[in-house]
Structure formats: C-alpha cells, structure tokens
Amino acid sequence: MTTPQEIIRIEQDIVLTLKNIYDPEIPVNVYDLGLIYEIDVEPDGTANIRMTLTAPNCPMADQLLEEINENVGKVKGVSSVNVVLTFDPPWDRSMMSEETLLDLGLF
C-alpha cells in the first residue's frame, strides 16, 4: 500500500517523465503542450492519465501513447499505466503553458 506522500512523489515523477516526451509534430513536450488533463496514481501503483491530442486524427497518436505508456511505466512506484484518451474538452493553444507560448512566439 502506497502512502499519500509516496503518491505525490510518484505523480511528480510522472510529470517530470512527461516533460521529456515530445509531440512528434510540435517541438514541445506533452505536459507543457497541455495534452495531459489529469494524473491520478492509485494506492496499488496504477497510474491513470487522462489526456488528449492536438487533433483527433493525429497520425502519430499510437506512437505517442506507446511512448507515454512505456516511459511512465518505468517510474519508480508505478505498477501499471492506464492512458485514457479524450477529446472533451478539445485541445486548443490556450492549454499550453505560458513558457511554451513564449518559446513558440505565440504570447
């Protein structure tokens, strides 16, 4: 059984991991791009990630989801990964971090 403090650490480590996974079409990581809607780690170590894509017909969706599953699964304390893809709400550039908007010259 994982303690609440351990769950917080695992979730922080997942965020760091996601900040190293880049959208294949935009040179920005999936976290700062605003594609990650929710990260919830259960006491048994299951990491539930609710996310979206920049477009529903993203040709790189399978590759991106596989990379997220594989890398989050390596985070210490994660026993399994459950990625749920949603398009509600649909992604738009307002979901990007301010730093990303500045980096891309969109702010």
Side-chain angles (χ1 to χ4, degrees), residues 27-71:
V28 178
N29 69 70
V30 295
Y31 190 83
D32 288 332
L33 198 53
L35 299 181
I36 306 300
Y37 289 167
E38 182 180 18
I39 300 168
D40 179 47
V41 176
E42 296 178 20
D44 69 356
T46 300
N48 296 300
I49 299 172
R50 194 168 66 89
M51 67 172 291
T52 193
L53 301 170
T54 54
N57 58 350
C58 175
M60 303 303 286
D62 290 342
Q63 176 187 331
L64 192 58
L65 294 174
E66 184 178 317
E67 189 174 350
I68 289 169
N69 266 300
E70 183 179 320
N71 287 290

mmCIF file of all heavy atoms in Angstrom, residues 27-71:
data_model
loop_
_atom_site.group_PDB
_atom_site.id
_atom_site.type_symbol
_atom_site.label_atom_id
_atom_site.label_comp_id
_atom_site.label_asym_id
_atom_site.label_seq_id
_atom_site.Cartn_x
_atom_site.Cartn_y
_atom_site.Cartn_z
ATOM 1 N N PRO A 27 7.619 20.918 -31.453
ATOM 2 C CA PRO A 27 8.794 20.689 -30.596
ATOM 3 C C PRO A 27 8.555 21.090 -29.136
ATOM 4 O O PRO A 27 9.297 21.866 -28.557
ATOM 5 C CB PRO A 27 9.868 21.562 -31.252
ATOM 6 C CG PRO A 27 9.099 22.692 -31.856
ATOM 7 C CD PRO A 27 7.803 22.084 -32.309
ATOM 8 N N VAL A 28 7.482 20.552 -28.560
ATOM 9 C CA VAL A 28 7.109 20.864 -27.179
ATOM 10 C C VAL A 28 6.699 19.558 -26.501
ATOM 11 O O VAL A 28 6.081 18.696 -27.124
ATOM 12 C CB VAL A 28 5.923 21.865 -27.138
ATOM 13 C CG1 VAL A 28 5.489 22.149 -25.720
ATOM 14 C CG2 VAL A 28 6.281 23.167 -27.849
ATOM 15 N N ASN A 29 7.041 19.437 -25.208
ATOM 16 C CA ASN A 29 6.670 18.209 -24.506
ATOM 17 C C ASN A 29 5.163 18.159 -24.256
ATOM 18 O O ASN A 29 4.483 19.190 -24.245
ATOM 19 C CB ASN A 29 7.471 18.058 -23.207
ATOM 20 C CG ASN A 29 7.094 19.064 -22.159
ATOM 21 O OD1 ASN A 29 6.005 19.009 -21.591
ATOM 22 N ND2 ASN A 29 7.994 20.001 -21.876
ATOM 23 N N VAL A 30 4.640 16.944 -24.083
ATOM 24 C CA VAL A 30 3.192 16.737 -23.982
ATOM 25 C C VAL A 30 2.585 17.415 -22.755
ATOM 26 O O VAL A 30 1.417 17.815 -22.785
ATOM 27 C CB VAL A 30 2.820 15.239 -24.008
ATOM 28 C CG1 VAL A 30 3.172 14.623 -25.360
ATOM 29 C CG2 VAL A 30 3.444 14.467 -22.868
ATOM 30 N N TYR A 31 3.375 17.574 -21.698
ATOM 31 C CA TYR A 31 2.850 18.206 -20.477
ATOM 32 C C TYR A 31 2.679 19.713 -20.684
ATOM 33 O O TYR A 31 1.606 20.259 -20.447
ATOM 34 C CB TYR A 31 3.762 17.909 -19.288
ATOM 35 C CG TYR A 31 3.152 18.336 -17.978
ATOM 36 C CD1 TYR A 31 2.252 17.507 -17.320
ATOM 37 C CD2 TYR A 31 3.444 19.565 -17.404
ATOM 38 C CE1 TYR A 31 1.663 17.888 -16.131
ATOM 39 C CE2 TYR A 31 2.862 19.957 -16.208
ATOM 40 C CZ TYR A 31 1.974 19.110 -15.579
ATOM 41 O OH TYR A 31 1.381 19.499 -14.402
ATOM 42 N N ASP A 32 3.741 20.381 -21.142
ATOM 43 C CA ASP A 32 3.669 21.828 -21.345
ATOM 44 C C ASP A 32 2.761 22.203 -22.515
ATOM 45 O O ASP A 32 2.266 23.323 -22.587
ATOM 46 C CB ASP A 32 5.063 22.424 -21.545
ATOM 47 C CG ASP A 32 5.860 22.438 -20.245
ATOM 48 O OD1 ASP A 32 5.251 22.503 -19.165
ATOM 49 O OD2 ASP A 32 7.107 22.378 -20.319
ATOM 50 N N LEU A 33 2.545 21.266 -23.410
ATOM 51 C CA LEU A 33 1.643 21.500 -24.540
ATOM 52 C C LEU A 33 0.188 21.517 -24.068
ATOM 53 O O LEU A 33 -0.683 22.024 -24.754
ATOM 54 C CB LEU A 33 1.862 20.418 -25.599
ATOM 55 C CG LEU A 33 1.355 20.667 -27.003
ATOM 56 C CD1 LEU A 33 1.841 21.984 -27.565
ATOM 57 C CD2 LEU A 33 1.790 19.527 -27.907
ATOM 58 N N GLY A 34 -0.052 20.985 -22.872
ATOM 59 C CA GLY A 34 -1.404 20.975 -22.329
ATOM 60 C C GLY A 34 -2.207 19.747 -22.721
ATOM 61 O O GLY A 34 -3.434 19.743 -22.621
ATOM 62 N N LEU A 35 -1.520 18.701 -23.159
ATOM 63 C CA LEU A 35 -2.229 17.492 -23.582
ATOM 64 C C LEU A 35 -2.628 16.604 -22.408
ATOM 65 O O LEU A 35 -3.490 15.750 -22.551
ATOM 66 C CB LEU A 35 -1.358 16.678 -24.555
ATOM 67 C CG LEU A 35 -0.973 17.373 -25.865
ATOM 68 C CD1 LEU A 35 -0.144 16.429 -26.723
ATOM 69 C CD2 LEU A 35 -2.187 17.876 -26.615
ATOM 70 N N ILE A 36 -1.997 16.813 -21.251
ATOM 71 C CA ILE A 36 -2.280 15.989 -20.077
ATOM 72 C C ILE A 36 -3.331 16.691 -19.230
ATOM 73 O O ILE A 36 -3.096 17.775 -18.704
ATOM 74 C CB ILE A 36 -1.002 15.736 -19.241
ATOM 75 C CG1 ILE A 36 0.118 15.150 -20.121
ATOM 76 C CG2 ILE A 36 -1.315 14.840 -18.043
ATOM 77 C CD1 ILE A 36 -0.186 13.832 -20.788
ATOM 78 N N TYR A 37 -4.500 16.086 -19.113
ATOM 79 C CA TYR A 37 -5.601 16.683 -18.347
ATOM 80 C C TYR A 37 -5.579 16.252 -16.888
ATOM 81 O O TYR A 37 -5.975 17.001 -16.015
ATOM 82 C CB TYR A 37 -6.948 16.315 -18.966
ATOM 83 C CG TYR A 37 -7.249 16.979 -20.288
ATOM 84 C CD1 TYR A 37 -8.298 16.525 -21.073
ATOM 85 C CD2 TYR A 37 -6.516 18.049 -20.758
ATOM 86 C CE1 TYR A 37 -8.603 17.133 -22.282
ATOM 87 C CE2 TYR A 37 -6.808 18.654 -21.967
ATOM 88 C CZ TYR A 37 -7.855 18.197 -22.724
ATOM 89 O OH TYR A 37 -8.155 18.799 -23.917
ATOM 90 N N GLU A 38 -5.143 15.018 -16.635
ATOM 91 C CA GLU A 38 -5.199 14.513 -15.256
ATOM 92 C C GLU A 38 -4.205 13.378 -15.069
ATOM 93 O O GLU A 38 -4.018 12.551 -15.958
ATOM 94 C CB GLU A 38 -6.612 14.003 -14.961
ATOM 95 C CG GLU A 38 -6.820 13.496 -13.561
ATOM 96 C CD GLU A 38 -8.252 13.002 -13.333
ATOM 97 O OE1 GLU A 38 -8.985 12.741 -14.310
ATOM 98 O OE2 GLU A 38 -8.605 12.866 -12.165
ATOM 99 N N ILE A 39 -3.549 13.385 -13.893
ATOM 100 C CA ILE A 39 -2.674 12.292 -13.484
ATOM 101 C C ILE A 39 -3.167 11.855 -12.111
ATOM 102 O O ILE A 39 -3.248 12.675 -11.196
ATOM 103 C CB ILE A 39 -1.200 12.731 -13.382
ATOM 104 C CG1 ILE A 39 -0.691 13.231 -14.731
ATOM 105 C CG2 ILE A 39 -0.336 11.582 -12.862
ATOM 106 C CD1 ILE A 39 0.646 13.954 -14.648
ATOM 107 N N ASP A 40 -3.510 10.586 -11.987
ATOM 108 C CA ASP A 40 -4.011 10.073 -10.715
ATOM 109 C C ASP A 40 -3.356 8.718 -10.454
ATOM 110 O O ASP A 40 -3.533 7.782 -11.236
ATOM 111 C CB ASP A 40 -5.534 9.941 -10.761
ATOM 112 C CG ASP A 40 -6.098 9.387 -9.469
ATOM 113 O OD1 ASP A 40 -5.708 9.878 -8.392
ATOM 114 O OD2 ASP A 40 -6.923 8.454 -9.532
ATOM 115 N N VAL A 41 -2.596 8.658 -9.375
ATOM 116 C CA VAL A 41 -1.952 7.392 -9.017
ATOM 117 C C VAL A 41 -2.736 6.757 -7.881
ATOM 118 O O VAL A 41 -2.985 7.386 -6.854
ATOM 119 C CB VAL A 41 -0.475 7.612 -8.609
ATOM 120 C CG1 VAL A 41 0.144 6.304 -8.138
ATOM 121 C CG2 VAL A 41 0.315 8.189 -9.776
ATOM 122 N N GLU A 42 -3.136 5.511 -8.084
ATOM 123 C CA GLU A 42 -3.891 4.776 -7.072
ATOM 124 C C GLU A 42 -2.924 4.144 -6.065
ATOM 125 O O GLU A 42 -1.745 3.950 -6.371
ATOM 126 C CB GLU A 42 -4.737 3.697 -7.757
ATOM 127 C CG GLU A 42 -5.796 4.284 -8.686
ATOM 128 C CD GLU A 42 -6.604 3.228 -9.401
ATOM 129 O OE1 GLU A 42 -6.639 2.063 -8.945
ATOM 130 O OE2 GLU A 42 -7.211 3.563 -10.430
ATOM 131 N N PRO A 43 -3.402 3.810 -4.871
ATOM 132 C CA PRO A 43 -2.532 3.199 -3.856
ATOM 133 C C PRO A 43 -1.810 1.936 -4.321
ATOM 134 O O PRO A 43 -0.738 1.617 -3.828
ATOM 135 C CB PRO A 43 -3.486 2.906 -2.696
ATOM 136 C CG PRO A 43 -4.555 3.933 -2.840
ATOM 137 C CD PRO A 43 -4.735 4.106 -4.329
ATOM 138 N N ASP A 44 -2.374 1.218 -5.312
ATOM 139 C CA ASP A 44 -1.714 -0.005 -5.801
ATOM 140 C C ASP A 44 -0.633 0.291 -6.850
ATOM 141 O O ASP A 44 -0.010 -0.626 -7.380
ATOM 142 C CB ASP A 44 -2.736 -0.994 -6.351
ATOM 143 C CG ASP A 44 -3.390 -0.536 -7.656
ATOM 144 O OD1 ASP A 44 -3.115 0.595 -8.126
ATOM 145 O OD2 ASP A 44 -4.179 -1.322 -8.218
ATOM 146 N N GLY A 45 -0.426 1.587 -7.155
ATOM 147 C CA GLY A 45 0.607 1.971 -8.116
ATOM 148 C C GLY A 45 0.117 2.140 -9.538
ATOM 149 O O GLY A 45 0.907 2.429 -10.439
ATOM 150 N N THR A 46 -1.182 1.974 -9.773
ATOM 151 C CA THR A 46 -1.726 2.191 -11.111
ATOM 152 C C THR A 46 -1.736 3.688 -11.408
ATOM 153 O O THR A 46 -2.287 4.468 -10.632
ATOM 154 C CB THR A 46 -3.162 1.639 -11.228
ATOM 155 O OG1 THR A 46 -3.138 0.237 -10.954
ATOM 156 C CG2 THR A 46 -3.736 1.887 -12.612
ATOM 157 N N ALA A 47 -1.110 4.067 -12.516
ATOM 158 C CA ALA A 47 -1.081 5.466 -12.938
ATOM 159 C C ALA A 47 -2.152 5.676 -14.002
ATOM 160 O O ALA A 47 -2.083 5.103 -15.084
ATOM 161 C CB ALA A 47 0.287 5.826 -13.491
ATOM 162 N N ASN A 48 -3.165 6.463 -13.660
ATOM 163 C CA ASN A 48 -4.232 6.801 -14.602
ATOM 164 C C ASN A 48 -3.926 8.178 -15.172
ATOM 165 O O ASN A 48 -3.798 9.147 -14.429
ATOM 166 C CB ASN A 48 -5.584 6.810 -13.894
ATOM 167 C CG ASN A 48 -5.953 5.444 -13.372
ATOM 168 O OD1 ASN A 48 -6.066 4.493 -14.135
ATOM 169 N ND2 ASN A 48 -6.113 5.328 -12.070
ATOM 170 N N ILE A 49 -3.805 8.243 -16.489
ATOM 171 C CA ILE A 49 -3.502 9.503 -17.161
ATOM 172 C C ILE A 49 -4.623 9.778 -18.153
ATOM 173 O O ILE A 49 -4.890 8.970 -19.044
ATOM 174 C CB ILE A 49 -2.149 9.431 -17.893
ATOM 175 C CG1 ILE A 49 -1.033 9.156 -16.874
ATOM 176 C CG2 ILE A 49 -1.889 10.705 -18.685
ATOM 177 C CD1 ILE A 49 0.307 8.883 -17.482
ATOM 178 N N ARG A 50 -5.282 10.931 -17.969
ATOM 179 C CA ARG A 50 -6.319 11.360 -18.919
ATOM 180 C C ARG A 50 -5.693 12.448 -19.777
ATOM 181 O O ARG A 50 -5.150 13.417 -19.259
ATOM 182 C CB ARG A 50 -7.545 11.885 -18.171
ATOM 183 C CG ARG A 50 -8.777 12.029 -19.068
ATOM 184 C CD ARG A 50 -10.024 12.271 -18.249
ATOM 185 N NE ARG A 50 -9.987 13.534 -17.562
ATOM 186 C CZ ARG A 50 -10.429 14.687 -18.068
ATOM 187 N NH1 ARG A 50 -10.955 14.716 -19.276
ATOM 188 N NH2 ARG A 50 -10.359 15.791 -17.369
ATOM 189 N N MET A 51 -5.731 12.249 -21.073
ATOM 190 C CA MET A 51 -5.059 13.176 -21.975
ATOM 191 C C MET A 51 -5.808 13.322 -23.287
ATOM 192 O O MET A 51 -6.768 12.595 -23.549
ATOM 193 C CB MET A 51 -3.632 12.700 -22.252
ATOM 194 C CG MET A 51 -3.549 11.405 -23.040
ATOM 195 S SD MET A 51 -1.877 10.978 -23.567
ATOM 196 C CE MET A 51 -1.551 12.254 -24.786
ATOM 197 N N THR A 52 -5.351 14.264 -24.085
ATOM 198 C CA THR A 52 -5.918 14.488 -25.400
ATOM 199 C C THR A 52 -4.790 14.577 -26.411
ATOM 200 O O THR A 52 -3.622 14.394 -26.076
ATOM 201 C CB THR A 52 -6.781 15.773 -25.409
ATOM 202 O OG1 THR A 52 -7.555 15.806 -26.606
ATOM 203 C CG2 THR A 52 -5.931 17.036 -25.297
ATOM 204 N N LEU A 53 -5.136 14.870 -27.635
ATOM 205 C CA LEU A 53 -4.169 15.096 -28.703
ATOM 206 C C LEU A 53 -4.465 16.467 -29.313
ATOM 207 O O LEU A 53 -5.550 17.007 -29.123
ATOM 208 C CB LEU A 53 -4.301 14.008 -29.782
ATOM 209 C CG LEU A 53 -4.091 12.572 -29.312
ATOM 210 C CD1 LEU A 53 -4.489 11.596 -30.406
ATOM 211 C CD2 LEU A 53 -2.646 12.352 -28.888
ATOM 212 N N THR A 54 -3.508 17.009 -30.053
ATOM 213 C CA THR A 54 -3.735 18.317 -30.666
ATOM 214 C C THR A 54 -4.842 18.249 -31.710
ATOM 215 O O THR A 54 -5.512 19.248 -31.961
ATOM 216 C CB THR A 54 -2.451 18.865 -31.312
ATOM 217 O OG1 THR A 54 -1.939 17.890 -32.224
ATOM 218 C CG2 THR A 54 -1.409 19.191 -30.258
ATOM 219 N N ALA A 55 -5.046 17.070 -32.283
ATOM 220 C CA ALA A 55 -6.124 16.876 -33.260
ATOM 221 C C ALA A 55 -6.599 15.423 -33.168
ATOM 222 O O ALA A 55 -5.791 14.516 -32.981
ATOM 223 C CB ALA A 55 -5.623 17.159 -34.673
ATOM 224 N N PRO A 56 -7.917 15.198 -33.291
ATOM 225 C CA PRO A 56 -8.442 13.829 -33.190
ATOM 226 C C PRO A 56 -7.844 12.857 -34.207
ATOM 227 O O PRO A 56 -7.724 11.676 -33.949
ATOM 228 C CB PRO A 56 -9.945 13.994 -33.430
ATOM 229 C CG PRO A 56 -10.235 15.416 -33.115
ATOM 230 C CD PRO A 56 -8.977 16.180 -33.459
ATOM 231 N N ASN A 57 -7.431 13.359 -35.355
ATOM 232 C CA ASN A 57 -6.893 12.490 -36.407
ATOM 233 C C ASN A 57 -5.367 12.507 -36.442
ATOM 234 O O ASN A 57 -4.771 12.259 -37.476
ATOM 235 C CB ASN A 57 -7.466 12.890 -37.768
ATOM 236 C CG ASN A 57 -7.163 14.340 -38.111
ATOM 237 O OD1 ASN A 57 -6.697 15.105 -37.268
ATOM 238 N ND2 ASN A 57 -7.436 14.735 -39.346
ATOM 239 N N CYS A 58 -4.734 12.773 -35.310
ATOM 240 C CA CYS A 58 -3.277 12.831 -35.221
ATOM 241 C C CYS A 58 -2.661 11.532 -35.735
ATOM 242 O O CYS A 58 -2.931 10.458 -35.190
ATOM 243 C CB CYS A 58 -2.846 13.084 -33.777
ATOM 244 S SG CYS A 58 -1.060 13.027 -33.531
ATOM 245 N N PRO A 59 -1.825 11.605 -36.781
ATOM 246 C CA PRO A 59 -1.251 10.385 -37.345
ATOM 247 C C PRO A 59 -0.223 9.716 -36.431
ATOM 248 O O PRO A 59 0.092 8.541 -36.605
ATOM 249 C CB PRO A 59 -0.588 10.865 -38.643
ATOM 250 C CG PRO A 59 -0.334 12.313 -38.422
ATOM 251 C CD PRO A 59 -1.420 12.801 -37.510
ATOM 252 N N MET A 60 0.278 10.438 -35.444
ATOM 253 C CA MET A 60 1.299 9.905 -34.547
ATOM 254 C C MET A 60 0.716 9.458 -33.206
ATOM 255 O O MET A 60 1.449 9.186 -32.271
ATOM 256 C CB MET A 60 2.387 10.962 -34.310
ATOM 257 C CG MET A 60 3.041 11.467 -35.583
ATOM 258 S SD MET A 60 3.770 10.163 -36.588
ATOM 259 C CE MET A 60 5.211 9.799 -35.628
ATOM 260 N N ALA A 61 -0.599 9.371 -33.104
ATOM 261 C CA ALA A 61 -1.266 9.065 -31.830
ATOM 262 C C ALA A 61 -0.767 7.758 -31.219
ATOM 263 O O ALA A 61 -0.408 7.721 -30.045
ATOM 264 C CB ALA A 61 -2.777 9.017 -32.025
ATOM 265 N N ASP A 62 -0.730 6.685 -32.002
ATOM 266 C CA ASP A 62 -0.321 5.387 -31.464
ATOM 267 C C ASP A 62 1.107 5.430 -30.929
ATOM 268 O O ASP A 62 1.391 4.914 -29.848
ATOM 269 C CB ASP A 62 -0.461 4.289 -32.523
ATOM 270 C CG ASP A 62 -1.914 3.972 -32.837
ATOM 271 O OD1 ASP A 62 -2.794 4.338 -32.027
ATOM 272 O OD2 ASP A 62 -2.171 3.375 -33.889
ATOM 273 N N GLN A 63 1.999 6.062 -31.671
ATOM 274 C CA GLN A 63 3.404 6.164 -31.262
ATOM 275 C C GLN A 63 3.512 6.964 -29.959
ATOM 276 O O GLN A 63 4.239 6.580 -29.049
ATOM 277 C CB GLN A 63 4.221 6.830 -32.359
ATOM 278 C CG GLN A 63 5.671 7.050 -31.977
ATOM 279 C CD GLN A 63 6.423 7.860 -33.027
ATOM 280 O OE1 GLN A 63 6.098 7.819 -34.205
ATOM 281 N NE2 GLN A 63 7.427 8.598 -32.587
ATOM 282 N N LEU A 64 2.785 8.063 -29.866
ATOM 283 C CA LEU A 64 2.830 8.917 -28.685
ATOM 284 C C LEU A 64 2.284 8.193 -27.455
ATOM 285 O O LEU A 64 2.892 8.214 -26.384
ATOM 286 C CB LEU A 64 2.036 10.197 -28.952
ATOM 287 C CG LEU A 64 2.185 11.327 -27.950
ATOM 288 C CD1 LEU A 64 3.630 11.765 -27.821
ATOM 289 C CD2 LEU A 64 1.323 12.504 -28.384
ATOM 290 N N LEU A 65 1.160 7.509 -27.600
ATOM 291 C CA LEU A 65 0.566 6.770 -26.490
ATOM 292 C C LEU A 65 1.486 5.632 -26.041
ATOM 293 O O LEU A 65 1.622 5.379 -24.841
ATOM 294 C CB LEU A 65 -0.812 6.230 -26.874
ATOM 295 C CG LEU A 65 -1.882 7.293 -27.133
ATOM 296 C CD1 LEU A 65 -3.160 6.644 -27.642
ATOM 297 C CD2 LEU A 65 -2.148 8.125 -25.906
ATOM 298 N N GLU A 66 2.125 4.965 -26.989
ATOM 299 C CA GLU A 66 3.048 3.886 -26.658
ATOM 300 C C GLU A 66 4.243 4.434 -25.867
ATOM 301 O O GLU A 66 4.675 3.838 -24.878
ATOM 302 C CB GLU A 66 3.535 3.216 -27.950
ATOM 303 C CG GLU A 66 4.420 2.018 -27.714
ATOM 304 C CD GLU A 66 4.832 1.360 -29.033
ATOM 305 O OE1 GLU A 66 3.972 1.213 -29.932
ATOM 306 O OE2 GLU A 66 6.017 0.993 -29.144
ATOM 307 N N GLU A 67 4.757 5.586 -26.289
ATOM 308 C CA GLU A 67 5.899 6.204 -25.596
ATOM 309 C C GLU A 67 5.516 6.615 -24.171
ATOM 310 O O GLU A 67 6.285 6.419 -23.230
ATOM 311 C CB GLU A 67 6.389 7.415 -26.392
ATOM 312 C CG GLU A 67 7.681 7.972 -25.881
ATOM 313 C CD GLU A 67 8.241 9.090 -26.753
ATOM 314 O OE1 GLU A 67 7.736 9.330 -27.872
ATOM 315 O OE2 GLU A 67 9.191 9.737 -26.289
ATOM 316 N N ILE A 68 4.315 7.159 -24.003
ATOM 317 C CA ILE A 68 3.845 7.544 -22.668
ATOM 318 C C ILE A 68 3.695 6.302 -21.795
ATOM 319 O O ILE A 68 4.185 6.272 -20.658
ATOM 320 C CB ILE A 68 2.529 8.338 -22.762
ATOM 321 C CG1 ILE A 68 2.817 9.724 -23.359
ATOM 322 C CG2 ILE A 68 1.854 8.458 -21.393
ATOM 323 C CD1 ILE A 68 1.589 10.516 -23.744
ATOM 324 N N ASN A 69 3.035 5.269 -22.295
ATOM 325 C CA ASN A 69 2.872 4.021 -21.538
ATOM 326 C C ASN A 69 4.216 3.445 -21.118
ATOM 327 O O ASN A 69 4.408 3.079 -19.958
ATOM 328 C CB ASN A 69 2.118 2.981 -22.379
ATOM 329 C CG ASN A 69 0.641 2.994 -22.125
ATOM 330 O OD1 ASN A 69 0.200 2.770 -21.010
ATOM 331 N ND2 ASN A 69 -0.126 3.273 -23.156
ATOM 332 N N GLU A 70 5.136 3.373 -22.059
ATOM 333 C CA GLU A 70 6.441 2.763 -21.794
ATOM 334 C C GLU A 70 7.233 3.564 -20.753
ATOM 335 O O GLU A 70 7.763 2.997 -19.800
ATOM 336 C CB GLU A 70 7.230 2.682 -23.106
ATOM 337 C CG GLU A 70 8.573 2.013 -22.967
ATOM 338 C CD GLU A 70 9.295 1.931 -24.306
ATOM 339 O OE1 GLU A 70 8.634 1.649 -25.325
ATOM 340 O OE2 GLU A 70 10.515 2.161 -24.313
ATOM 341 N N ASN A 71 7.311 4.887 -20.921
ATOM 342 C CA ASN A 71 8.138 5.700 -20.029
ATOM 343 C C ASN A 71 7.523 5.908 -18.657
ATOM 344 O O ASN A 71 8.233 5.866 -17.654
ATOM 345 C CB ASN A 71 8.472 7.035 -20.695
ATOM 346 C CG ASN A 71 9.482 6.859 -21.805
ATOM 347 O OD1 ASN A 71 10.645 6.574 -21.549
ATOM 348 N ND2 ASN A 71 9.045 6.996 -23.043
#
